[in-house]
Amino acid sequence: MSVIFEAGEKVLLVDGKGRRYLITLAAGGAFHSHHGIVQHDAIIGQPEGTTVTSAGGQKFLVWMPTLEEFVLKMPRGAQVVYPKDLASIVLRGDVYPGAFVVEAGAGSGALTLALLRAVGPEGRVITYELREDFARLALANVEAFMGKAPNLEIRIGDIYESILDRGVDRLVLDVPEPWRVLPNAEISLREGGLMACYLPTVLQVHALAEAISRTPGWTPASTTETLVRGWHTDGQSVRPDHRMVAHTGFITTTRKLAG
Ligand code: SAH
């Protein structure tokens, strides 16, 4: 079914050079581009994929942003998990429809959004965040992208101190010292549950892998890094892009044994 743009929605305008602008539609509103004004009323009521023309004659394609586009454009507090890693974390963390997921920290909510999508309406996500301002930002970003999320709960708290939840299917951590979560993970994860940790440096990966191997009841750490290289495809010029996002972080997983 076609999506018809409504006031209050966040939409993405893409110009002929591929530049992207995220705007919030408002009746009577105006987007000031380098090539003159685009009236929001020319977008409201139109279907997704429509073209609008600014007063200066510049054409813009208008879309609901994809999750990838939204994450790169949304307001950030903490560093967000980059799209290539969001995809890998969801798969390597085996986050499935209906799963009960505990996350930390919420940060700007990029990973929270990817987890909510993966668990779907039948699943649940509880995210622990130390800082109230980040919790507010994460919730605002989630709601800006997907509206109210009744299956999301944000808890202000330190995940090193405690996890209140039991029978958790998947634990997804983007905190600096995830090895400090192991004792709580053991209590809160169900048998066969999986913990996925995202870490920027190899020393952190080492500390985590060592802690896992010293703690009975966990499978050996499995670590990967995801590199994604974009390609330029324009007529005869088909080649890798000159620039790429190289290092972001490592993903380390382990599973909780029964017994
Ligand atoms: N994954 C997030 C970014 C998280 S940045 C995103 O994609 O947007 C790391 C976050 O963890 C920060 O917001 C920080 O405040 C929070 N944090 C750090 N230690 C924590 C802890 N022990 N318990 C809960 N949150 C913590």
Side-chain angles (χ1 to χ4, degrees), residues 71 74-82 86 89 103-113 127-135 137-138 141 155-162 172-177 180-181 198:
V71 159
M74 71 187 197
R76 301 176 191 193
Q79 179 68 45
V80 299
V81 173
Y82 205 78
L86 292 176
I89 291 169
E103 181 202 11
S108 314
L111 183 51
T112 311
L113 270 167
T127 180
Y128 287 73
E129 171 55 57
L130 275 180
R131 287 179 51 167
E132 234 173 294
D133 54 341
F134 284 159
L137 176 65
N141 281 334
R155 295 224 175 104
I156 308 296
D158 183 342
I159 198 148
Y160 303 152
E161 295 292 321
S162 72
V172 180
L173 300 177
D174 179 7
V175 290
E177 299 178 358
R180 294 178 60 188
V181 181
Y198 180 67

Side-chain angles (χ1 to χ4, degrees), residues 19-36:
R19 284 181 295 227
R20 288 162 154 73
Y21 306 90
L22 189 66
I23 66 166
T24 305
L25 292 176
F31 165 62
H32 296 263
S33 80
H34 296 303
H35 299 277

Side-chain angles (χ1 to χ4, degrees), residues 112-129:
T112 311
L113 270 167
L115 295 173
L116 282 167
R117 259 213 176 166
V119 301
E122 305 298 319
R124 272 176 82 197
V125 177
I126 294 181
T127 180
Y128 287 73
E129 171 55 57

Side-chain angles (χ1 to χ4, degrees), residues 3 32 56 90 99 119 133 152 156 190 200 215 220 227 229 244:
V3 171
H32 296 263
V90 165
V119 301
D133 54 341
L152 169 67
I156 308 296
R190 67 165 166 86
T215 313
L227 302 180
R229 190 165 71 162
M244 66 185 280

